[in-house]
Amino acid sequence: MKKSQKLLLAVNIVVISALFVLNYFYQSNGFDFALKCVCSTLFALLGVINLIYSLANKADNKKFYIGMTAGVIFGFLGDVLIEYDFIVGAAMFAIGHICFVVAYCLIQKMQKLDYIISGALFITGILFFAFCPSFTFGTKIMVVVAIIYTLILSTMFGKSLGNLIREKNVVNKTIALASGLFLFSDMMLSLDCFSELFSWAYNACMGTYYPALCLLVLSMCLKSIKSDR
């Protein structure tokens, strides 16, 4: 491994480790907004660093890195703006998730298996919302938001699994794990926002949200290192 690759990997490990520690303090301090902004800034900044490295070293499939970086930047915006306006923040998250799906498609184009897995996940999610008696969305707009989110996240996880089934490498494994954590995190968020079933749902949401983003950013690092060999 080259010195520049070792440095990039070390930066990723240090920043991700710091983010894990800060996530603990964020949750133990009553979900302090300032700490949330610091955590979100770190993963967005790390995404930009990995993008710069990939571009500087002329890594293959540059659009993948651009798509992933756009995803984490919109994730950062969602984290900040959702504190002021839920719909605006949710829109930023949705755009970020779409950026991730596009990036996955730049690894492998959408294929039949991807649609099948994503469709099965989407139907499962809709049935869960429809038949779980504890959910109270309140307004029709929130029902629409929930359906759109379920579709996007199902596609995100389904596509990552399709990529992994066809090509089992460390990048696809990292992305699939991150996407699964993302889906679980948003399930916990929906339980926290629209149900009183679990008092710990938001802790579970944030406890998996930041690891998911860290893994997505790490996948950029791993792919650029692989490309630079």
Side-chain angles (χ1 to χ4, degrees), residues 98-109:
I98 292 171
C99 289
F100 290 134
V101 174
V102 171
Y104 298 177
C105 291
L106 291 168
I107 296 176
Q108 297 176 19
K109 293 181 179 180

Side-chain angles (χ1 to χ4, degrees), residues 48-112:
V48 173
I49 290 171
N50 288 339
L51 172 63
I52 292 172
Y53 180 90
S54 68
L55 295 178
N57 287 275
K58 299 180 180 179
D60 297 332
N61 201 354
K62 294 180 178 62
K63 291 181 180 179
F64 165 80
Y65 301 98
I66 294 171
M68 294 292 282
T69 304
V72 296
I73 289 174
F74 277 109
F76 163 77
L77 292 173
D79 281 333
V80 175
L81 296 176
I82 203 167
E83 298 291 329
Y84 302 99
D85 188 302
F86 181 85
I87 299 299
V88 173
M92 294 297 103
F93 282 129
I95 295 171
H97 295 332
I98 292 171
C99 289
F100 290 134
V101 174
V102 171
Y104 298 177
C105 291
L106 291 168
I107 296 176
Q108 297 176 19
K109 293 181 179 180
M110 284 291 292
Q111 300 181 42
K112 185 177 180 180

Side-chain angles (χ1 to χ4, degrees), residues 119-130:
L121 289 169
F122 176 66
I123 292 171
T124 301
I126 294 301
L127 291 174
F128 177 68
F129 285 136

